[in-house]
Amino acid sequence: MGIQGIDLSLIWGVIIAFGVMMYVIMDGFDLGLGILFPMISDEQERDVMMNTVAPVWDGNETWLVLGGAALYGAFPLAYGVILEALYLPLIFMLAGLIFRGVAFEFRFKAPAEKRHLWDWAFIGGSLLATFSQGVVIGAYVAGIPVVDRQFAGGGLDWLAPFPLVCGVGLVVAYALLGSTWLLVKTEGMLESRMRHYSRPLAWLLLAMVLVIGAWTLQMHPELATRWFNHAHLTVFAGLVVLAALALFGLLRSLRQRHTHWPFVFTLVLMFLGYIGLALSIWPNIIPPSVSLWAAASPATSQLFALIGALFILPVILMYTFWNYYVFRGKVRIGDGYH
């Protein structure tokens, strides 16, 4: 359980869930910019798109490092099994993030005739990283077989229809995050284009959520039993109602030409989906059979790491808030941070 009745595994589970959620939300919209990049042909508008995240994109990935390090320290069994099961899509994700990161730095320094190469590195890296993350999530939700505390599946189990559809779904979700982020940060024709793209992306995301949700319940009938029994039905209905209200608010704010509210409502949709996922797999950290406590490291190790985490988490949060505060406001043609 923990030290003197404190459930350290539960605390670490919350920290990891929070870190992953922060990464998905904050790195999601800048990956979304790369997904939207092919829809914008004007070089100056592309510069503006990249400059909206240039000061913050690398800080966003701090949350990914935090989540991975916390998983390794607090739940080494889960770390080992998940990495073994999803080694290839995680490598693809890292390769995409590397291409995207290099493109950020080199695109602005490349001569005009070479810039298109870095544009495609940015587009390809963003798509590859996003799709791979979706595949990882889909394979994780589908379930990872564990026998005698060892991964009991194959190295290509992730290469299945459900994870691949989840990859497409995450591409749509990040594109919507990116388009609504640009409503906050840009103006003129670029803002108008993003408003035009956001509405069909919202409806497409709804369709993907319905397909993936129904598919998940078909794969795991026990989830249907959990969600629709009397004890959990209120929570499930509450999440559905809140998601419907957030979608309505998103579409309405787009029609009324708000700049900030569409992004806020998109964040709410992402948050509600994440909460639904977390509640569906609870209390397992390796679905469908390994719980937080079964995968945990010794309590003394968890406590030692927790002391450090309690120092570093406020620093990351303060740095993140200050970064976004300093670089708030619209980005215009001619502005830049390189």
Side-chain angles (χ1 to χ4, degrees), residues 125-179:
S126 299
L127 280 169
L128 179 60
T130 303
F131 182 75
S132 299
Q133 287 177 21
V135 169
V136 167
I137 294 170
Y140 181 78
V141 171
I144 299 174
V146 178
V147 177
D148 295 329
R149 298 176 65 85
Q150 299 288 330
F151 173 56
L156 295 178
D157 286 357
W158 55 271
L159 195 60
F162 179 75
L164 297 178
V165 170
C166 288
V168 175
L170 196 64
V171 169
V172 174
Y174 281 6
L176 180 59
L177 270 174
S179 66

Side-chain angles (χ1 to χ4, degrees), residues 261-298:
W261 280 112
F263 184 62
V264 172
F265 284 121
T266 304
L267 291 179
V268 171
L269 285 172
M270 296 291 290
F271 176 73
L272 292 172
Y274 191 80
I275 292 297
L277 171 62
L279 292 177
S280 296
I281 65 174
W282 173 262
N284 295 320
I285 194 169
I286 310 176
S289 59
V290 180
S291 70
L292 286 169
W293 301 276
S297 61

Side-chain angles (χ1 to χ4, degrees), residues 250-320:
L250 169 61
L251 295 171
R252 187 169 183 268
S253 61
L254 287 171
R255 286 196 303 272
Q256 295 180 342
R257 305 189 68 80
H258 288 292
T259 55
H260 288 67
W261 280 112
F263 184 62
V264 172
F265 284 121
T266 304
L267 291 179
V268 171
L269 285 172
M270 296 291 290
F271 176 73
L272 292 172
Y274 191 80
I275 292 297
L277 171 62
L279 292 177
S280 296
I281 65 174
W282 173 262
N284 295 320
I285 194 169
I286 310 176
S289 59
V290 180
S291 70
L292 286 169
W293 301 276
S297 61
T300 50
S301 299
Q302 289 187 332
L303 181 62
F304 177 78
L306 182 61
I307 294 171
L310 293 179
F311 281 101
I312 197 66
L313 271 173
V315 173
I316 298 174
L317 286 169
M318 287 187 294
Y319 162 82
T320 301

Side-chain angles (χ1 to χ4, degrees), residues 90-300:
L90 288 171
I91 288 294
F92 294 151
M93 179 192 76
L94 292 175
L97 291 176
I98 290 170
F99 271 102
R100 193 271 304 260
V102 170
F104 257 113
E105 301 302 326
F106 281 83
R107 181 181 179 276
F108 289 97
K109 299 175 176 63
E113 66 273 11
K114 299 283 184 66
R115 181 171 287 191
H116 69 281
L117 298 175
W118 296 112
D119 284 347
W120 283 109
F122 182 58
I123 294 166
S126 299
L127 280 169
L128 179 60
T130 303
F131 182 75
S132 299
Q133 287 177 21
V135 169
V136 167
I137 294 170
Y140 181 78
V141 171
I144 299 174
V146 178
V147 177
D148 295 329
R149 298 176 65 85
Q150 299 288 330
F151 173 56
L156 295 178
D157 286 357
W158 55 271
L159 195 60
F162 179 75
L164 297 178
V165 170
C166 288
V168 175
L170 196 64
V171 169
V172 174
Y174 281 6
L176 180 59
L177 270 174
S179 66
T180 53
W181 165 258
L182 289 173
L183 296 181
V184 176
K185 299 294 292 183
T186 65
E187 57 187 13
M189 286 302 298
L190 182 56
E191 180 186 346
S192 297
R193 289 192 186 96
M194 291 304 113
R195 196 175 303 279
H196 174 73
Y197 295 143
S198 294
R199 188 172 290 107
L201 283 171
W203 286 113
L204 185 56
L205 178 61
L206 174 63
M208 294 301 300
V209 168
L210 292 175
V211 169
I212 292 170
W215 199 339
T216 302
L217 293 178
Q218 186 272 328
M219 287 192 305
H220 299 292
E222 70 277 6
L223 284 182
T225 303
R226 170 186 290 190
W227 280 115
F228 295 114
N229 69 23
H230 180 71
H232 297 95
L233 184 58
T234 303
V235 176
F236 175 72
L239 289 174
V240 171
V241 169
L242 289 174
L245 290 174
L247 179 63
F248 173 78
L250 169 61
L251 295 171
R252 187 169 183 268
S253 61
L254 287 171
R255 286 196 303 272
Q256 295 180 342
R257 305 189 68 80
H258 288 292
T259 55
H260 288 67
W261 280 112
F263 184 62
V264 172
F265 284 121
T266 304
L267 291 179
V268 171
L269 285 172
M270 296 291 290
F271 176 73
L272 292 172
Y274 191 80
I275 292 297
L277 171 62
L279 292 177
S280 296
I281 65 174
W282 173 262
N284 295 320
I285 194 169
I286 310 176
S289 59
V290 180
S291 70
L292 286 169
W293 301 276
S297 61
T300 50

